């Protein structure tokens, strides 16, 4: 939460496994900056169905536009 309040932070990279542990906080973040991007880790493969940014993007576009 401290990083979200800082004005000198534009992007927060967080492993998707860690994001799952704090999912309510990640889901509640609605501002454009800092952007919170979920990335894969060595131990946990990336799951697009759990990516909060991707889910929001899908809500903005029609399914045909994402192909």
């Amino acid at each position: 939460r401290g990083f979200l309040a800082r004005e000198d932070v534009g992007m927060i990279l967080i492993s998707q496994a860690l994001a799952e542990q704090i999912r309510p906080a990640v889901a509640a973040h609605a501002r454009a900056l800092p952007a919170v991007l979920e990335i894969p880790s060595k131990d946990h493969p990336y799951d697009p169905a759990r990516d909060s940014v991707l889910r929001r993007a899908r809500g903005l576009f029609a399914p045909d536009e994402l192909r």
Side-chain angles (χ1 to χ4, degrees), residues 23-31 56:
R23 181 59 61 201
V26 173
H29 179 66
R31 295 187 353 237
R56 288 180 191 162

Side-chain angles (χ1 to χ4, degrees), residues 10-65:
M11 183 182 305
I12 298 171
L13 300 175
I14 184 171
S15 73
Q16 194 173 51
L18 182 58
E20 280 300 315
Q21 294 177 21
I22 59 167
R23 181 59 61 201
V26 173
H29 179 66
R31 295 187 353 237
L33 292 176
V36 178
L37 302 177
E38 298 177 29
I39 59 174
S41 69
K42 291 181 181 180
D43 299 327
H44 300 91
Y46 174 74
D47 181 0
R50 295 182 179 204
D51 189 323
S52 61
V53 173
L54 187 57
R55 276 190 269 138
R56 288 180 191 162
R58 283 187 177 143
L60 295 174
F61 300 99
D64 293 338
E65 293 175 345

